[in-house]
Amino acid sequence: RLISRVRSVLGVELSVRAVFEAPTVAGLAARLVGAAGARPALRVGERPGVVPLSFAQRRLWFLHRLEGPSATYNMPMAIRLSGALDHDALRAAVADVVERHESLRTVFGEADGVPYQRVLENVEVDIPVIPTTESDLPRHLESLAARTFDLTGEAPLHAALLELSPAEHVLSLVLHHIAADGWSVAPLSRDLATAYRARAVHHSPQWSELPVRYTDYVRWQQELLGSVHEPESVINQQVGYWENALAGIPERLKLPADRPHPVVATYTGGVVPFTLNADIHRSAVALARETGSTLFMVVQAALAALLHKLGAGTDIPIGSPIAGRTDQALDDLVGVFVNTLVLRTDVSGDPTFRELLERVRETDLAAYAHQDVPFEHLVEVLSPTRSLSHHPLFQVLLAAEDIDPELIDLPGLRSTLRPVGTGTAKFDLSLSYRERHTTEEGSPAGIDCRIEYSADLFDQATAERIAAHLSRLLEEAVRQADRPLRTLDILMASERQRIVGDWNATAYESAGHGLTLKDLLEEQAARTPERIALAFEDSELTYADLHARADRLASLLTRRGAGPERVVAVAVPRSTDLVVALLAVLKSGASYVPLDPDDPAERTAFVLDDAQPVLLLVTEETSALLSGIGSGPGRILLDSPETRALLAGSEADHERPEDVSSAGALLPHHPAYVIYTSGSTGRPKGVLISHEGIVNRLLWMQAEYGLTREDRVLQKTPSSFDVSVWEFFWPLITGAGLVVARPGGHKDPAYLADVIEDHRVTTAHFVPSMLRAFLSQPAAATCTSLRQVICSGEALTADLAQSFSAALGIPLHNLYGPTEASVDVTHHTCPPQAGDAHPPIGRPIWNTRVYVLDAGLAPVPVGVVGELYLAGVGLARGYLGRPGLTAERFVACPFGAVGERMYRTGDLVRWNGAGELEYLGR
Ligand code: AMP
Ligand code: MG
């Protein structure tokens, strides 16, 4: 297989021997260059007194010094030995191997700041025997794997024999990476087997001498690469290549992590093993063959495509270990030769998988041809921003493993080799895989994969999902290589059902279904006519009085042309009059458009011109402010003596609004209000919200947070923001009391604390920034009447939620929603004690569906950032008088009934595993 692959990749004839011993195509490429005479030969040479370190050793030594002794660079192995074990032979065999491979008996030191290595002549190998049981075995192996090495004083190998029974043992070998790499495992196991076989019959092993020693390699590496001070040296030429290839590489790949990078990585990690079945394996090998690439390249393309789909962008650097044994003489040595290549994968432009694979092939072959520059040197030259929180140049690793677990063949024993988890992770994510083949024909029998993840960033469940997505993507990609990546699905059917269906199962028919806001308000007034509906400064109004006033104004409005599908503008400072005015407009069947007296005159003029209200309700004060604005609609001055008399009922006017209405009956789909949002384009746009949308929102709120008649809700949000809608009307449809803050009071935390205390307010809203200001008031702590606070409008941070719960110890409700969807669409309650680590915006409210979609409008998996789209009864009818803009933001919904729309929020969110949304910005 390898021969034909190398032939097709390199177009070169190769000897069988070279192919069989070469670990990768990459190694072959380098050897070909060597064979062509372009490299110095690797020979046994003189050993100077002090031997410097190879590049790879230098890096490990540096890390050892920097981080202190740790298990991060341990290579633990467990060899299971079933059968009658000859303990003495095993002990002698391990000693033979240590004797044969100098790396296993080398210690390190530093002289004048320059590190050196020293090969010890004799080392005692102690192999303690530890009795254990099957259930204790993993714990034993893990604790052995976690032992740290003193590289200056002891051999970088620990061995121990775990004894389960006289005929069942596990040999634990833990090496420090400075002494060995993944490609050392094969010669190590082979030599161990040879030595054991010999020692079992009381011989010493008969093996041919190793062609070179590790220290010869160190010298050769320096000769080969030349000096960084010579412009034409191999190292400088190759560096030139890499500088170009890696220019502008992303500093840190955006991964679908559960948590942000900590300031300093802890290197704790976990492992998820999974298997790609023989079918996928066969198709992947076939695709590799067909495209002149390798299985590694296929897996790399799939990994890059997956990361792209998981939100990592289109420029995906993937690190990959490369054997570095570019001379045949190194094949049988135990030692660290491995180098790391950065394979930059370009996923831009929605290529087909085949096109992506072609790009990967080009990139990889070029990288292999420049594989000699030690990674550490590249890092120095390219000097990416160094950080203790993440790996430089790449954070995701891909490694093909070719260690056969049945490799060790000991006489009289059945033995299998297993890597042992160290509980550490060097990278954010690393994927390693090993091919299996059928014993008879050697045909593909499946690929064993492992994802090792950083526990700083990922939960086990997330890593498991990534594994499942990779399997799914590979399966689709290798069978349908000509489909664009966009169309490759990574969601499993069950996952799609959960995200799109189960988490959106919000259909609910409430008792108020089919009613308008006007109906709800009037029904409540009929239930509790004598209760106090509203308090403002020193005055109070009962439900009966409030409605009587509003009814009188409503009939005036109706006579002056207000009705369904018509707009009445309300420019009234916060006051009893404001509440009466809003109620009256609703009663007339018209929708209200609030004008904030504090808004700049140009905005108000724009809104008046845009909304084309039939009437404008003003006070003396706002009338003066609006004097500069042309003729406009007819005005009603609420605080004129005539209107005052009318509202107080001292003038005869008992017509009910319906009696004089000319515009027909009010229906649930008629607009209730029009609120202008500033919008990013700068030009405000009026959002038309229907009665059914806001009724659903208000009834949901009552079902969820249940106001009683004893509750009092603070009204402080300017009426031009939609939060004010529930502040006004939620208490008034439930029999609770409305406490209206004085004009300007919403910006004054000390005043707010006073009002809350004086009026025994139980429920109040704050945007997070104002909540922070409020909590910084000593008086906030005395607001003991509060039983819940509602937050929305901006991201609620963990620290704010925590200081809130520390100060008040009551529930904090985080609501999210754009004006375009009836105030709020999702909700989450931070528990009264100890807030959330990252308060989510939560789950959808009644009759509301939320979709987190990628650029192709496909749902993204849990944990992946996408754009939030909303559907359901709360959606606005659109932007007043702006059909083009409406069509742009309210688009056809592919998940709902025919003709259903969804609103594109522009907000970036992701699902957490519990079916709640997390907000990440715009
Ligand atoms: P508006 O249309 O003025 O209500 O603004 C809606 C926008 O405010 C949303 O699209 C979000 O960007 C932001 N927003 C609203 N509520 C929240 C929240 N709870 N957390 C984070 N952002 C929010
Ligand atoms: Mg909002």
Side-chain angles (χ1 to χ4, degrees):
R1 273 199 322 277
L2 206 54
I3 293 178
S4 68
R5 201 172 296 161
V6 171
R7 268 193 202 123
S8 68
V9 171
L10 301 174
V12 189
E13 233 17 77
L14 294 151
S15 80
V16 171
R17 186 181 147 69
V19 170
F20 276 173
E21 294 190 350
T24 61
V25 174
L28 288 170
R31 286 173 191 203
L32 286 166
V33 177
R39 285 164 178 264
L42 175 51
R43 293 197 192 86
V44 181
E46 287 300 298
R47 196 200 319 260
V50 175
V51 183
L53 306 194
S54 70
F55 277 103
Q57 283 179 316
R58 234 183 276 168
R59 166 158 162 271
L60 289 157
W61 172 251
F62 171 75
L63 290 168
H64 182 73
R65 296 290 307 268
L66 182 76
E67 290 161 14
S70 91
T72 312
Y73 291 92
N74 278 5
M75 285 180 52
M77 283 172 280
I79 303 165
R80 178 122 196 168
L81 305 164
S82 307
L85 179 69
D86 183 337
H87 284 237
D88 292 338
L90 182 68
R91 205 166 287 123
V94 171
D96 288 334
V97 170
V98 171
E99 159 66 26
R100 179 167 168 81
H101 294 282
E102 290 187 350
S103 286
L104 300 179
R105 48 188 171 92
T106 297
V107 292
F108 300 83
E110 238 166 63
D112 302 327
V114 181
Y116 63 83
Q117 56 188 315
R118 191 159 55 84
V119 179
L120 304 174
E121 281 312 315
N122 290 306
V123 282
E124 283 291 300
V125 185
D126 178 34
I127 309 182
V129 178
I130 307 168
T132 184
T133 60
E134 282 295 349
S135 58
D136 280 349
L137 181 64
R139 200 173 46 78
H140 272 300
L141 286 172
E142 273 165 37
S143 75
L144 289 167
R147 250 199 68 178
T148 57
F149 289 94
D150 169 15
L151 295 180
T152 63
E154 61 173 337
L157 166 82
H158 291 151
L161 191 62
L162 297 159
E163 187 166 59
L164 293 146
S165 75
E168 198 65 32
H169 295 84
V170 174
L171 175 64
S172 156
L173 290 180
V174 184
L175 287 87
H176 192 280
H177 194 10
I178 203 162
D181 56 19
W183 282 273
S184 302
V185 176
L188 179 73
S189 344
R190 220 168 26 231
D191 288 349
L192 188 62
T194 306
Y196 180 83
R197 239 177 275 125
R199 293 295 176 184
V201 292
H202 310 290
H203 289 302
S204 47
Q206 300 297 306
W207 43 36
S208 54
E209 213 185 311
L210 290 171
V212 291
R213 297 165 305 196
Y214 191 82
T215 47
D216 298 317
Y217 160 76
V218 175
R219 185 178 27 79
W220 175 76
Q221 183 183 45
Q222 283 172 350
E223 261 172 53
L224 170 71
L225 293 181
S227 162
V228 290
H229 305 297
E230 300 160 25
E232 294 308 309
S233 65
V234 169
I235 191 160
N236 281 341
Q237 285 171 23
Q238 293 198 2
V239 163
Y241 164 81
W242 287 106
E243 279 176 330
N244 191 29
L246 301 183
I249 201 163
E251 187 194 323
R252 177 191 281 183
L253 203 58
K254 265 201 260 110
L255 295 170
D258 297 295
R259 292 167 286 280
H261 280 262
V263 177
V264 178
T266 66
Y267 298 111
T268 52
V271 166
V272 175
F274 63 105
T275 301
L276 302 171
N277 64 34
D279 266 359
I280 303 181
H281 189 185
R282 252 192 308 277
S283 310
V285 168
L287 181 63
R289 191 169 293 151
E290 192 186 311
T291 52
S293 53
T294 63
L295 182 69
F296 178 89
M297 292 168 185
V298 173
V299 177
Q300 185 194 335
L303 180 60
L306 177 67
L307 294 173
H308 163 66
K309 278 184 173 280
L310 297 182
T314 56
D315 187 356
I316 316 269
I318 294 177
S320 182
I322 186 158
R325 296 173 188 241
T326 50
D327 192 291
Q328 205 172 302
L330 300 174
D331 286 352
D332 295 334
L333 255 62
V334 172
V336 58
F337 303 96
V338 67
N339 192 13
T340 309
L341 296 181
V342 187
L343 305 174
R344 187 180 191 178
T345 318
D346 171 15
V347 195
S348 64
D350 195 24
T352 65
F353 191 71
R354 189 186 300 278
E355 285 161 354
L356 178 62
L357 188 53
E358 176 57 27
R359 291 182 196 175
V360 166
R361 182 177 172 275
E362 296 279 305
T363 312
D364 288 6
L365 289 178
Y368 296 158
H370 300 88
Q371 63 171 291
D372 299 298
V373 188
F375 177 76
E376 305 57 51
H377 182 67
L378 254 192
V379 170
E380 263 166 47
V381 175
L382 300 179
S383 64
T385 319
R386 288 309 286 262
S387 148
L388 289 174
S389 84
H390 65 273
H391 195 271
L393 298 180
F394 68 89
Q395 293 83 46
V396 175
L397 186 91
L398 174 62
E401 275 170 11
D402 45 15
I403 300 162
D404 180 353
E406 314 289 330
L407 192 80
I408 307 184
D409 180 18
L410 305 184
L413 288 165
R414 206 157 37 76
S415 57
T416 38
L417 177 75
R418 287 257 148 62
V420 180
T422 52
T424 65
K426 301 178 199 69
F427 308 98
D428 290 356
L429 277 182
S430 69
L431 170 68
S432 57
Y433 69 88
R434 197 182 66 79
E435 291 182 78
R436 273 188 282 114
H437 294 96
T438 57
T439 29
E440 306 84 55
E441 293 107 37
S443 49
I447 307 177
D448 292 327
C449 304
R450 275 161 57 93
I451 284 183
E452 189 183 85
Y453 62 89
S454 155
D456 288 345
L457 303 185
F458 296 99
D459 293 334
Q460 172 89 9
T462 308
E464 282 167 5
R465 268 197 308 274
I466 292 174
H469 291 144
L470 183 68
S471 309
R472 175 111 167 90
L473 186 133
L474 245 172
E475 183 169 8
E476 291 226 326
V478 294
R479 293 198 189 134
Q480 310 176 59
D482 292 308
R483 275 174 46 185
L485 292 188
R486 176 174 42 82
T487 67
L488 296 179
D489 202 0
I490 55 173
L491 282 185
M492 287 144 288
S494 60
E495 202 178 8
R496 170 183 297 270
Q497 168 57 32
R498 201 157 57 114
I499 293 175
V500 174
D502 302 353
W503 288 345
N504 275 323
T506 57
Y508 184 80
E509 189 158 316
S510 71
H513 184 78
L515 298 182
T516 62
L517 179 53
K518 170 181 186 275
D519 298 330
L520 297 183
L521 290 162
E522 289 177 352
E523 284 177 3
Q524 186 56 49
R527 280 193 292 268
T528 50
E530 300 312 320
R531 286 197 73 87
I532 300 299
L534 174 161
F536 175 66
E537 306 271 60
D538 294 330
S539 67
E540 289 185 338
L541 218 53
T542 63
Y543 272 83
D545 288 345
L546 172 64
H547 276 262
R549 287 194 193 198
D551 280 336
R552 291 183 202 110
L553 179 58
S555 60
L556 175 62
L557 298 181
T558 309
R559 272 183 275 125
R560 305 262 314 252
E565 301 292 345
R566 299 208 179 141
V567 179
V568 174
V570 178
V572 177
R574 208 161 33 235
S575 60
T576 302
D577 282 345
L578 173 61
V579 182
V580 171
L582 298 180
L583 234 58
V585 177
L586 292 172
K587 281 167 177 280
S588 79
S591 54
Y592 70 84
V593 56
L595 299 174
D596 187 341
D598 293 338
D599 272 349
E602 314 84 76
R603 178 177 162 104
T604 305
F606 174 87
V607 170
L608 273 179
D609 183 52
D610 191 67
Q612 292 293 308
V614 292
L615 282 170
L616 171 57
L617 303 185
V618 289
T619 60
E620 293 281 5
E621 180 194 340
T622 59
S623 184
L625 287 173
L626 293 172
S627 59
I629 296 167
S631 55
R635 298 183 182 197
I636 295 177
L637 194 59
L638 287 181
D639 47 4
S640 72
E642 305 81 60
T643 320
R644 285 242 173 274
L646 169 79
L647 297 191
S650 42
E651 262 181 24
D653 187 331
H654 299 296
E655 282 169 298
R656 298 276 306 156
E658 287 88 340
D659 304 340
V660 292
S661 171
S662 57
L666 177 64
L667 297 170
H669 73 266
H670 285 138
Y673 62 85
V674 180
I675 281 185
Y676 276 75
T677 64
S678 36
S680 44
T681 54
R683 184 174 159 198
K685 45 202 198 282
V687 179
L688 235 74
I689 295 292
S690 69
H691 281 266
E692 57 187 338
I694 193 63
V695 161
N696 177 72
R697 166 67 181 72
L698 290 171
L699 292 177
W700 163 81
M701 195 172 204
Q702 175 58 10
E704 191 70 25
Y705 308 135
L707 286 184
T708 69
R709 292 177 187 180
E710 313 311 319
D711 273 303
R712 290 173 157 224
V713 176
L714 181 63
Q715 202 296 299
K716 71 176 182 62
T717 305
S719 57
S720 55
F721 290 99
D722 65 355
V723 168
S724 67
V725 176
W726 67 253
E727 287 180 342
F728 284 119
F729 303 122
W730 180 28
L732 295 184
I733 62 170
T734 57
L738 176 63
V739 176
V740 179
R742 72 179 179 214
H746 59 285
K747 294 181 201 151
D748 180 350
Y751 163 78
L752 292 174
D754 281 350
V755 179
I756 291 171
E757 212 191 337
D758 292 352
H759 288 271
R760 309 303 299 157
V761 165
T762 63
T763 301
H765 174 274
F766 290 91
V767 292
S769 45
M770 193 61 189
L771 182 60
R772 199 179 289 279
F774 175 70
L775 288 178
S776 68
Q777 293 291 317
T782 66
C783 292
T784 51
S785 59
L786 278 178
R787 71 169 180 90
Q788 60 187 348
V789 163
I790 291 160
C791 236
S792 72
E794 301 160 358
L796 175 62
T797 57
D799 72 306
L800 181 56
Q802 266 146 23
S803 29
F804 175 86
S805 86
L808 291 168
I810 54 174
L812 178 61
H813 306 301
N814 187 21
L815 302 189
Y816 159 90
T819 306
E820 286 84 345
S822 302
V823 195
D824 300 298
V825 284
T826 67
H827 66 108
H828 168 86
T829 297
C830 305
Q833 264 75 44
D836 297 279
H838 295 283
I841 57 171
R843 19 183 128 254
I845 69 164
W846 287 352
N847 302 306
T848 301
R849 279 158 289 122
V850 295
Y851 301 105
V852 186
L853 307 180
D854 67 16
L857 297 191
V860 297
V862 167
V864 176
V865 181
E867 190 177 341
L868 178 60
Y869 288 75
L870 311 171
V873 67
L875 287 208
R877 294 219 328 218
Y879 297 114
L880 183 65
R882 309 279 295 274
L885 189 60
T886 302
E888 229 171 78
R889 303 298 296 192
F890 294 82
V891 298
C893 176
F895 311 102
V898 174
E900 169 132 39
R901 300 173 309 149
M902 59 182 186
Y903 172 68
R904 175 178 195 181
T905 64
D907 289 324
L908 298 176
V909 298
R910 65 179 177 194
W911 287 109
N912 68 19
E916 293 193 289
L917 293 174
E918 292 172 353
Y919 178 86
L920 298 159
R922 285 185 70 82

